[in-house]
Amino acid sequence: MTLLVTGGAGFIGSNFVLAWLAQPEAPPIVNLDKLTYAGNLENLASVQGDARHHFVQGDIGDADLLGRLLAEHRPKAVVNFAAESHVDRSILGPAAFIETNVVGTFSLLEAVRHYWSALDGQSRQDFRFLHVSTDEVYGSLAPADAPFTENHRYEPNSPYSASKAGSDHLVRAYHHTYGLPVLTTNCSNNYGPYHFPEKLIPLMIVNALAGKPLPVYGDGLQIRDWLYVRDHCSAICRVLEAGRVGQVYNVGGWNEKANIDIVHTICGLLDELRPRSDGQSYRSQITHVTDRPGHDRRYAIDASRLDEELGWKPAETFESGIRKTVRWYLDNPGWVERVQSGAYRDWVQTQYGASA
């Protein structure tokens, strides 16, 4: 019943590992993570010493390592979180995204295909490969467009989303060509605990508390559908449990919000929970910066298939989820301080300029 999780020290992956192991009778996890800048073993401190959690530092592109792990642990399922995931970084350096998201996924699929092909009986029938992807593969929506369904055509607009689209196509091809029992989830923007502070929500919280400017791209009216990370984890568990082989499931929070409204909400919560000493609102720190190239205007997810087929709905509203998130960052300043390495600070300076 072992589960092999790739990228399980990253933001979504570590939240999944923690949620999985919080189940009393949870099967063990083998957690493979390369530990790049966004992979952080401190996220998993609460399961250190748990015999059900076996961590391995390594790359999904390492075929020999994958073969050994699969042969030794004989997992019933593989859940692939491993990915380079930040659009801004993909614009500045796309090669790493192609290497991890396309070539790495190919290497993982090949290793899993050989492992699965050698299984027999019920083990072969029960095996699943679940690939975690993004709504960004669908491109951008106009204000009046209906949300993305699983049948929406792929129109990726950044090196990041193009690399994830490529990985999705590989997963689909391995099912149709080789019969590999795959499942794919395409999620909307996640937020919550352990989110590396380069993404919008944690960056705003961390900068606000540090008295720094809150850099907002362009007019800030870009719209995203926001999903609390633990809801995403529960959706993945449900798809893994009962999803139809070969099927794609969109995972969304039914929470379309403009970026500037997100920033205003965060400022309002901080004004309430950690007021500035000068009595001013954190809104006074908002600074509009030059928009990034090719910035998609709107994403929105239609998660009806997940609801109708598998009975899944998010447990958190945006209001409850964002309050939990702000509180977590207020309660964990040490975690924030330790992940803010010199390399991270240099990258933020490069991306946002003097405003950051």
Side-chain angles (χ1 to χ4, degrees):
M1 290 293 291
T2 299
L3 194 68
L4 173 60
V5 173
T6 67
F11 165 47
I12 302 175
S14 63
N15 273 282
F16 177 82
V17 169
L18 295 175
W20 181 271
L21 294 177
Q23 303 172 91
E25 304 298 324
I29 278 180
V30 177
N31 183 354
L32 176 66
D33 196 293
K34 191 177 179 180
L35 293 183
T36 60
Y37 74 95
N40 186 359
L41 282 179
E42 188 174 352
N43 298 0
L44 301 164
S46 64
V47 295
Q48 185 176 5
D50 189 328
R52 298 171 301 162
H53 181 238
H54 179 65
F55 179 79
V56 178
Q57 183 174 356
D59 191 339
I60 59 171
D62 186 338
D64 291 339
L65 174 60
L66 289 169
R68 290 197 303 272
L69 290 177
L70 291 164
E72 178 183 352
H73 297 281
R74 300 187 62 79
K76 182 178 180 179
V78 174
V79 182
N80 181 33
F81 293 99
E84 293 282 350
S85 65
H86 192 34
V87 173
D88 293 344
R89 286 181 182 267
S90 81
I91 294 169
L92 293 174
F97 288 73
I98 303 303
E99 186 64 34
T100 297
N101 299 352
V102 180
V103 180
T105 300
F106 163 72
S107 297
L108 179 61
L109 283 166
E110 274 290 274
V112 169
R113 177 172 72 89
H114 289 298
Y115 165 73
W116 170 77
S117 296
L119 296 176
D120 54 24
Q122 198 64 39
S123 295
R124 182 182 174 92
Q125 183 176 334
D126 291 345
F127 181 83
R128 297 291 184 269
F129 179 94
L130 193 153
H131 177 64
V132 180
S133 190
T134 172
D135 59 355
E136 297 191 37
V137 298
Y138 299 125
S140 184
L141 292 169
D145 287 347
F148 298 129
T149 70
E150 292 84 354
N151 296 320
H152 197 283
R153 70 181 183 182
Y154 275 33
E155 297 180 304
N157 291 322
S158 70
Y160 161 60
S161 57
S163 68
K164 288 299 290 183
S167 68
D168 291 7
H169 291 322
L170 283 170
V171 171
R172 174 185 168 87
Y174 269 65
H175 173 61
H176 283 270
T177 301
Y178 303 111
L180 188 68
V182 306
L183 299 154
T184 298
T185 57
N186 293 87
C187 71
S188 58
N189 281 38
N190 280 218
Y191 66 99
Y194 303 112
H195 205 176
F196 192 78
E198 65 182 356
K199 303 292 181 76
L200 177 68
I201 287 177
L203 179 64
M204 294 302 112
I205 298 170
V206 170
N207 274 18
L209 294 172
K212 296 180 179 180
L214 308 182
V216 175
Y217 280 135
D219 59 12
L221 296 180
Q222 305 88 356
I223 293 173
R224 303 292 183 262
D225 174 21
W226 292 92
L227 175 67
Y228 189 63
V229 65
R230 289 301 178 94
D231 280 334
H232 185 193
C233 295
S234 73
I236 291 170
C237 289
R238 182 62 183 144
V239 172
L240 195 60
E241 175 186 37
R244 285 189 289 139
V245 169
Q247 189 61 281
V248 176
Y249 294 93
N250 283 348
V251 189
W254 302 102
N255 285 307
E256 286 191 59
K257 304 284 184 184
N259 285 351
I260 191 63
D261 293 334
I262 298 292
V263 178
H264 287 164
T265 297
I266 291 169
C267 290
L269 285 168
L270 290 173
D271 289 341
E272 172 195 341
L273 300 171
R274 186 69 59 82
R276 281 177 38 159
S277 59
D278 61 6
Q280 291 192 52
S281 171
Y282 287 96
R283 284 195 184 199
S284 64
Q285 295 169 226
I286 294 173
T287 303
H288 290 264
V289 299
T290 302
D291 207 352
R292 73 183 179 205
H295 201 170
D296 289 337
R297 198 62 173 170
R298 174 177 169 243
Y299 307 142
I301 279 284
D302 183 337
S304 297
R305 175 179 290 174
L306 194 52
D307 180 10
E308 293 166 2
E309 288 191 15
L310 304 181
W312 179 89
K313 288 186 173 68
E316 301 290 345
T317 64
F318 181 75
E319 290 70 26
S320 65
I322 194 65
R323 179 173 287 272
K324 288 182 177 181
T325 301
V326 170
R327 283 192 179 277
W328 188 89
Y329 280 90
L330 290 174
D331 291 342
N332 291 275
W335 181 90
V336 173
E337 182 179 354
R338 288 187 288 274
V339 300
Q340 289 183 298
S341 68
Y344 164 69
R345 288 194 297 271
D346 291 344
W347 182 85
V348 171
Q349 179 68 27
T350 299
Q351 188 61 30
Y352 293 105
S355 68

